[in-house]
Amino acid sequence: MAIERLPGFRDFYPEPLPHPDVWSADARQYIFEKWRTIAKRYGFREYDGPPLEPLELFTTKSGEEIVKQLFDFTDKGERHIALRPEMTPTLARMVAAHERNYKKPIKWFAIPQLFRYEKPQKGRLREHFQFNADLIGETDPAADAELIALVIDTLRAFGLTAEDFVLRLSSRNAWQEFFQRGGGVAAREYDFFQIIDKLERTAPEESEKKLAELGFSLAAVNDFIAKGTPTQELQAILDNLAARGLRDFVKVDYQVIRGLAYYTGVVFEAFDRKGELRAIAGGGRYNGLVKLISNGKVDLPALGFGMGDVVLLELLKARGLLPKFDAPMFVYALVEDETLRPATLKLVHDLRAAGHAVEYPLTPAKPDKQFKRAQELKVAFTARLDSSDYVRLRNLKTREEIVAGVNDVGNHLRCTP
Ligand code: HAM
């Protein structure tokens, strides 16, 4: 039996795609390029880390849910290790190790491939790529606004508008205040956050029961969400975004609280407006993580977000926002006379060295087949050697043909975009 790929993993093929079940390597590249472009526009520098990390890096503070989903094993050196399910602990480790060498705030981004042993379903796989951008060393809400603006502008770069997506802005501080005001016990705070996180996906009776155990009623929780009064900090973020003309992209929504354990303040998630898909991106403040991971040595406030490629691609497909991908070649060198193959190889090589995309038949082929191939590749020109000194250059669009000296071909091509 043929060996098949693992469930929840993807094969990326060049377009046109041979089967609806495979993923587009071209679309992936398109998404990565946009992520990089916009991150750089906002002054973020690219970093990366290892895909394998010591298991404790993730068990320390990511939270139960992600720990249950780890791909972990013991390596040949008896180390207990895990494939990274998220990038934030690695970033915290890297920053803590060398933060003195970098001016604050540190603004870094990465595009890691992440691994989570989830039940594969629409929008959730066992492997995905995630655009991460994080800002370290600034507590002012101006930093939160800057990061949220980056989320919005990244999605806008794909042609998405305020009608396509919304950024739901919330704050663990607001919930903490609610929890404390209601007499909640500090030790149970994270349990409370977990109930809020699952509110949308849980039957009301069940949430009611769980909240009652902590001394709260679902009605009070729902009322707090419905009011959605922004905290001072959230208001500062809203004003900052309004000044940029981005106010329409954000709404205060206390239903969002985020699942990961390390978040400490502002949290947010980007969703499609129709609410058909899972979160496109999520993030927030994690002011205690660098300290925790560095064992108290380095204490820096931080915030960031992760935007996955899976949901984003689903949304772009649904809105018809993916461009057509092909990789047109510029020149096809025809080899009709095999005695001229060495000279043709030299021509091909020179043109490639000059930066042109050039194809040619690897083995002898009939002229009509070669020409057909040139058309399939959507080349602008065919080049055929008449002798080892002269080249017949044909513009396939205008059908114009000229004869040029082999060393002069580049000049003729340069004039054509
Ligand atoms: P997260 O919410 O776990 O956050 O993931 C962020 C985004 O990654 C999600 O909104 C989703 O689009 C995508 N994603 C997550 N898991 C999967 C999956 N199994 N399959 C497909 N897509 C997935 C984090 O990971 C945080 N570390 C983000 C962060 C960075 N917070 C601060 N800095």
Side-chain angles (χ1 to χ4, degrees):
M1 218 174 66
I3 298 171
E4 303 206 348
R5 69 170 184 271
L6 291 167
F9 285 79
R10 295 175 286 176
D11 291 328
F12 291 93
Y13 283 79
E15 298 210 7
L17 296 184
H19 191 272
D21 190 32
V22 299
W23 292 70
S24 165
D26 295 307
R28 183 174 91 172
Q29 193 54 27
Y30 171 74
I31 288 174
F32 286 8
E33 274 171 17
K34 286 253 186 286
W35 281 349
R36 282 205 168 87
T37 305
I38 310 300
K40 286 180 188 165
R41 227 179 255 177
Y42 270 72
F44 284 72
R45 303 285 309 274
E46 189 159 3
Y47 72 97
D48 201 0
L52 281 170
E53 290 275 16
L55 180 72
E56 316 89 86
L57 187 68
F58 305 113
T59 49
T60 326
K61 193 77 195 218
S62 287
E64 224 179 283
E65 199 162 307
I66 253 189
V67 171
K68 272 193 274 171
Q69 297 167 342
L70 284 175
F71 276 92
D72 64 314
F73 57 96
T74 309
D75 75 2
K76 292 191 175 75
E78 298 297 316
R79 292 175 204 92
H80 206 167
I81 57 182
L83 274 167
R84 60 187 176 196
E86 59 155 336
M87 196 61 177
T88 317
T90 297
L91 172 67
R93 178 179 64 67
M94 287 171 59
V95 165
H98 293 292
E99 56 92 12
R100 282 173 185 215
N101 298 76
Y102 295 94
K103 288 229 160 48
K104 312 296 175 307
I106 291 171
K107 292 165 79 178
W108 286 0
F109 81 96
I111 307 181
Q113 189 174 23
L114 306 174
F115 304 87
R116 298 182 189 181
Y117 200 88
E118 302 210 44
K119 187 165 173 277
Q121 53 192 297
K122 196 171 154 58
R124 278 288 174 276
L125 301 171
R126 289 188 175 162
E127 149 279 317
H128 71 284
F129 289 92
Q130 206 185 75
F131 171 37
N132 273 249
D134 291 79
L135 202 153
I136 296 125
E138 180 54 68
T139 50
D140 196 278
D144 305 57
E146 176 76 352
L147 210 82
I148 290 167
L150 172 57
V151 176
I152 295 170
D153 276 346
T154 304
L155 294 175
R156 288 173 76 202
F158 293 100
L160 295 164
T161 67
E163 268 147 48
D164 299 307
F165 73 92
V166 61
L167 196 129
R168 299 163 72 194
L169 184 62
S170 179
S171 164
R172 283 201 176 177
N173 293 335
W175 276 115
Q176 190 174 41
E177 216 174 90
F178 175 91
F179 185 71
Q180 287 169 357
R181 223 183 317 123
V185 185
R188 303 296 305 274
E189 189 181 83
Y190 185 58
D191 296 334
F192 176 75
F193 288 175
Q194 294 275 67
I195 301 170
I196 303 299
D197 183 45
K198 296 193 172 62
L199 225 45
E200 279 176 301
R201 290 165 273 152
T202 311
E205 312 80 60
E206 201 180 319
S207 300
E208 177 84 70
K209 199 172 126 225
K210 284 189 174 159
L211 283 168
E213 283 168 22
L214 302 179
F216 290 85
S217 76
L218 183 59
V221 161
N222 281 339
D223 186 49
F224 182 72
I225 293 171
K227 279 208 184 87
T229 316
T231 58
Q232 246 184 11
E233 192 182 30
L234 292 186
Q235 191 57 52
I237 296 171
L238 293 174
D239 293 345
N240 183 310
L241 292 168
R244 305 174 195 234
L246 296 180
R247 183 63 185 82
D248 290 350
F249 291 90
V250 209
K251 69 164 185 196
V252 171
D253 185 343
Y254 286 140
Q255 220 153 176
V256 170
I257 193 163
R258 306 275 298 143
L260 292 160
Y262 49 65
Y263 291 114
T264 52
V266 169
V267 283
F268 53 85
E269 277 180 345
F271 277 89
D272 69 297
R273 279 263 185 207
K274 290 191 182 160
E276 289 166 352
L277 308 172
R278 310 185 68 129
I280 314 163
R285 277 220 168 251
Y286 50 97
N287 286 349
L289 189 65
V290 176
K291 187 170 178 192
L292 185 87
I293 281 178
S294 67
N295 225 340
K297 280 199 203 88
V298 181
D299 188 6
L300 282 170
L303 77 155
F305 70 85
M307 179 184 294
D309 68 326
V310 179
V311 182
L312 177 60
L313 198 72
E314 276 174 2
L315 182 59
L316 295 180
K317 264 194 212 156
R319 300 287 177 276
L321 286 172
L322 280 174
K324 253 188 106 50
F325 299 108
D326 51 17
M329 299 299 292
F330 190 46
V331 179
Y332 193 88
L334 304 158
V335 190
E336 291 181 5
D337 174 353
E338 283 297 324
T339 64
L340 290 173
R341 182 171 283 272
T344 309
L345 283 175
K346 171 85 170 79
L347 174 70
V348 167
H349 198 84
D350 289 349
L351 292 179
R352 284 176 173 170
H356 300 299
V358 186
E359 259 300 15
Y360 67 99
L362 273 180
T363 53
K366 292 213 175 89
D368 58 333
K369 266 201 162 167
Q370 292 188 38
F371 191 68
K372 201 167 152 236
R373 186 75 194 120
Q375 284 177 319
E376 283 166 3
L377 291 168
K378 300 195 177 106
V379 294
F381 290 94
T382 55
R384 178 168 61 84
L385 284 173
D386 264 353
S387 65
S388 45
D389 297 325
Y390 288 99
V391 181
R392 232 164 238 284
L393 206 55
R394 186 165 170 199
N395 184 321
L396 292 199
K397 213 184 258 161
T398 63
R399 291 168 189 265
E400 220 179 306
E401 195 174 76
I402 55 152
V403 178
V406 264
N407 297 323
D408 208 22
V409 180
N411 290 332
H412 286 282
L413 293 175
R414 206 167 303 134
C415 312
T416 314

